[in-house]
């Protein structure tokens, strides 16, 4: 893949605009998971070490464009980064579209890009304003690489130089390793609420994995092929498609489930077989027989791709399935890749970060890359490379 890499460039005294993925869960001003921030940190530290002037750009949540809402502010992220980068000056800026002045080794965190009108629509005027802030645009947010927006794609059309950051390069390389020549058996664990949002990736993984394990609302849709599953979350319109996949590929569907009558943390769990679930009950986790079966499969695997919890892991009585999968993957000798926002939260919850081979910061991008789709942010980096593929490229690479 021909793109310019940040590590190839002489960035001394240059102004870098780094598009990071700092979209982390924040509750009452407190960051709940720092995984994405910590993943972005090495690129920032590298830029500081190379004497660059650093501008950090990111989104957070889904605010309404043009309207400031405190709960979507990146200020808590700034406060955390300021502590982590205590050896340098770190600023926060809410009004930045008309220019920013920095000295070498200084860092500024910009307010949520989704407060800017035009961000989601990839507006050219906004994209140009972003590009005017810097000498070099560094795309380092794999988690946002599938979005065609001003801070991920549009800026790359106007930036003098658009390159890939180290985190983005690592994400691509590790995902390629797991998909192109995986050690076998290869097992994919796909959880989440809706099969419709992950149907394409399910099809892809069914073709390349030896076994696909489904959980959450996705598994419920497969269970609904032959069973009445009470008030469980599932998608009736996808039952026929789910049946076609089940009949053609090796998909592991729950043989028993933990159910409850009320969706709340204090609800007690009861283990039931699919055909025994009452109208007033809903599936919220795997049962013990299913957990044992899946553990046996995972222990024999050589490559594992994991995206999404398999139950309501936030509730103490319905987290056993997700916990068992997480700890089995962590204790496995298999090459493992985990990705997705909820997956990152699970990894934090069970403190297994150092036991996963590679943790992807991406959710939607993670899945679209697996599907084989072209990610807009990467496509624009390829276009930028073409502009410099002749003698110009020699002038910008150190």
């Amino acid at each position: 893949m021909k793109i310019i890499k940040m590590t190839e460039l002489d960035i001394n005294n240059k102004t870098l605009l780094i598009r990071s993925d700092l979209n982390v869960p924040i509750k009452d001003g407190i960051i709940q998971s720092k995984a994405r921030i910590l993943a972005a940190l090495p690129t920032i530290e590298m830029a500081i070490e190379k004497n660059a002037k650093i501008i950090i750009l990111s989104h957070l949540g889904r605010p309404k464009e043009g309207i400031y809402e405190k709960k979507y502010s990146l200020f808590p992220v700034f406060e955390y980064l300021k502590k982590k980068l205590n050896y340098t000056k770190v600023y926060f800026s809410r009004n930045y579209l008309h220019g920013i002045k920095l000295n070498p080794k200084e860092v500024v965190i910009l307010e949520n890009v989704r407060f800017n009108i035009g961000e989601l629509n990839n507006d050219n005027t906004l994209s140009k304003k972003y590009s005017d802030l810097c000498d070099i645009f560094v795309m380092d947010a794999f988690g946002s690489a599938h979005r065609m927006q001003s801070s991920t794609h549009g800026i790359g059309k106007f930036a003098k130089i658009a390159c890939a950051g180290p985190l983005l390069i690592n994400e691509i390389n590790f995902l390629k390793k797991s998909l192109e020549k995986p050690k076998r058996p290869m097992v994919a664990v796909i959880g989440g609420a809706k099969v419709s949002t992950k149907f394409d990736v399910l099809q892809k993984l069914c073709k390349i994995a030896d076994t696909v394990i489904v959980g959450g609302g996705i598994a419920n849709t497969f269970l609904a092929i032959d069973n009445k599953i009470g008030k469980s979350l599932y998608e009736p319109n996808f039952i026929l498609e789910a049946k076609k996949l089940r009949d053609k590929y090796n998909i592991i569907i729950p043989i028993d489930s933990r159910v409850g009558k009320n969706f709340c943390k204090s609800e007690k769990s009861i283990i039931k077989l699919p055909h025994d679930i009452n109208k007033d009950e809903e599936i919220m986790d795997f049962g013990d027989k299913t957990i044992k079966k899946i553990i046996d499969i995972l222990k024999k695997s050589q490559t594992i791709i994991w995206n999404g919890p398999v139950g309501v892991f936030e509730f103490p009585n319905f987290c056993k399935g997700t916990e068992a999968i997480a700890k089995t993957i962590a204790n496995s000798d298999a090459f493992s890749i985990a990705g997705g926002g909820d997956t990152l939260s699970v990894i934090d919850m069970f403190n297994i970060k150092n036991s996963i081979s590679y943790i992807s910061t991406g959710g939607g991008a993670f899945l679209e890359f697996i599907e084989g789709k072209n990610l807009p942010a990467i496509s624009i980096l390829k276009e930028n490379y073409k502009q410099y593929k002749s003698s110009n490229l020699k002038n910008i690479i150190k």
Side-chain angles (χ1 to χ4, degrees):
M1 181 171 60
K2 293 185 176 181
I3 56 178
I4 303 168
K5 300 174 184 176
M6 183 186 117
T7 51
E8 297 174 324
L9 301 176
D10 179 2
I11 60 175
N12 177 48
N13 204 31
K14 297 289 196 301
T15 300
L16 271 57
L17 193 155
I18 303 175
R19 179 44 162 106
S20 299
D21 184 4
L22 306 177
N23 182 32
V24 295
I26 298 175
K27 185 177 181 181
D28 299 325
I30 299 171
I31 299 168
Q32 304 298 301
S33 171
K34 303 176 181 72
R36 283 178 171 156
I37 305 175
L38 294 173
L41 200 55
T43 299
I44 300 169
E45 291 175 327
M46 183 185 296
I48 293 169
E49 184 183 334
K50 299 290 184 181
N51 203 46
K53 306 166 188 176
I54 302 121
I55 302 170
I56 307 297
L57 204 62
S58 180
H59 77 283
L60 179 72
R62 298 177 181 272
K64 190 172 181 179
E65 276 192 3
I67 299 175
Y68 172 84
E69 288 184 75
K70 186 178 180 180
K71 69 177 180 178
Y72 293 119
S73 174
L74 278 166
F75 193 76
V77 176
F78 154 72
E79 290 185 308
Y80 178 74
L81 277 170
K82 190 175 181 180
K83 291 177 183 176
K84 297 295 287 186
L85 299 169
N86 58 8
Y87 52 85
T88 192
K89 291 183 179 179
V90 184
Y91 308 99
F92 185 73
S93 178
R94 289 192 173 93
N95 301 304
Y96 49 81
L97 291 176
H98 297 293
I100 293 171
K101 289 184 179 180
L102 288 172
N103 294 314
K105 296 185 181 293
E106 291 184 345
V107 179
V108 60
I109 314 297
L110 306 187
E111 182 58 284
N112 192 345
V113 293
R114 289 190 176 171
F115 290 153
N116 298 327
I117 295 174
E119 167 65 21
L120 298 180
N121 295 328
N122 202 23
D123 179 74
N124 280 341
T125 301
L126 180 60
S127 301
K128 182 70 167 58
K129 286 181 179 180
Y130 288 151
S131 71
D132 288 343
L133 296 175
C134 64
D135 300 310
I136 300 170
F137 168 58
V138 182
M139 180 59 190
D140 207 37
F142 179 78
S144 298
H146 63 308
R147 302 188 186 281
M148 190 175 281
Q149 296 172 359
S150 284
S151 68
T152 58
H153 176 272
I155 183 175
K157 294 189 292 183
F158 300 102
K160 304 176 190 76
I161 302 168
C163 67
L167 178 59
L168 181 66
I169 295 296
N170 283 342
E171 296 262 10
I172 293 168
N173 288 342
F174 273 97
L175 282 171
K176 280 186 174 181
K177 179 180 177 181
S178 67
L179 296 173
E180 291 177 356
K181 292 182 179 179
K183 289 185 178 180
R184 297 193 180 275
M186 178 185 182
V187 178
V189 181
I190 304 295
K194 295 183 178 181
V195 71
S196 57
T197 60
K198 296 186 178 181
F199 187 75
D200 289 341
V201 78
L202 266 178
Q203 285 186 308
K204 175 76 173 181
L205 286 172
C206 283
K207 292 175 183 176
I208 64 174
D210 299 289
T211 304
V212 174
I213 297 165
V214 291
I218 295 172
N220 294 347
T221 300
F222 281 89
L223 285 171
I225 296 169
D226 299 314
N227 303 281
K228 292 182 179 179
I229 53 173
K231 59 178 183 178
S232 304
L233 175 68
Y234 76 103
E235 292 182 275
N237 294 338
F238 271 82
I239 288 177
L240 182 59
E241 296 297 331
K243 184 178 185 301
K244 289 178 183 177
L245 286 181
R246 183 201 65 178
D247 294 346
K248 187 175 181 180
Y249 298 106
N250 185 26
I251 299 177
I252 303 302
I253 300 162
I255 51 179
D256 62 345
S257 304
R258 280 181 164 77
V259 304
K261 293 184 179 181
N262 301 296
F263 191 83
C264 64
K265 283 189 175 182
S266 59
E267 182 70 5
K268 292 182 179 179
S269 65
I270 303 170
I271 297 177
K272 287 195 168 185
L273 300 175
H275 60 266
D276 290 333
I277 296 170
N278 296 325
K279 288 182 180 180
D280 60 347
E281 294 173 329
E282 61 180 311
I283 298 168
M284 289 191 276
D285 192 13
F286 286 162
D288 288 344
K289 290 181 181 178
T290 302
I291 291 171
K292 184 180 182 305
K293 182 178 180 179
I294 288 169
I295 287 174
D296 290 341
I297 293 169
L298 290 173
K299 282 183 175 179
K300 296 172 185 174
S301 65
Q302 291 297 309
T303 302
I304 301 170
I305 294 178
W306 173 28
N307 177 264
V310 297
V312 188
F313 70 98
E314 303 94 332
F315 295 174
N317 295 324
F318 297 97
C319 71
K320 193 171 181 181
T322 299
E323 180 179 10
I325 285 173
K327 291 184 176 178
T328 303
I329 293 173
N331 293 325
S332 170
D333 292 328
F335 177 79
S336 54
I337 284 192
D342 285 339
T343 315
L344 298 182
S345 297
V346 171
I347 289 168
D348 282 347
M349 176 183 286
F350 299 116
N351 194 28
I352 57 170
K353 177 184 175 182
N354 296 328
S355 301
I356 306 295
S357 304
Y358 192 78
I359 299 171
S360 172
T361 57
F366 177 85
L367 297 176
E368 289 191 20
F369 189 95
I370 291 172
E371 289 172 42
K373 291 183 178 180
N374 290 321
L375 305 184
I378 295 174
S379 295
I380 200 66
L381 294 182
K382 292 178 182 177
E383 288 299 316
N384 193 270
Y385 175 89
K386 290 177 184 178
Q387 295 176 25
Y388 292 97
K389 68 179 181 179
S390 57
S391 59
N392 286 337
L393 187 57
K394 297 175 184 177
N395 295 332
I396 63 170
I397 290 181
K398 60 185 178 183

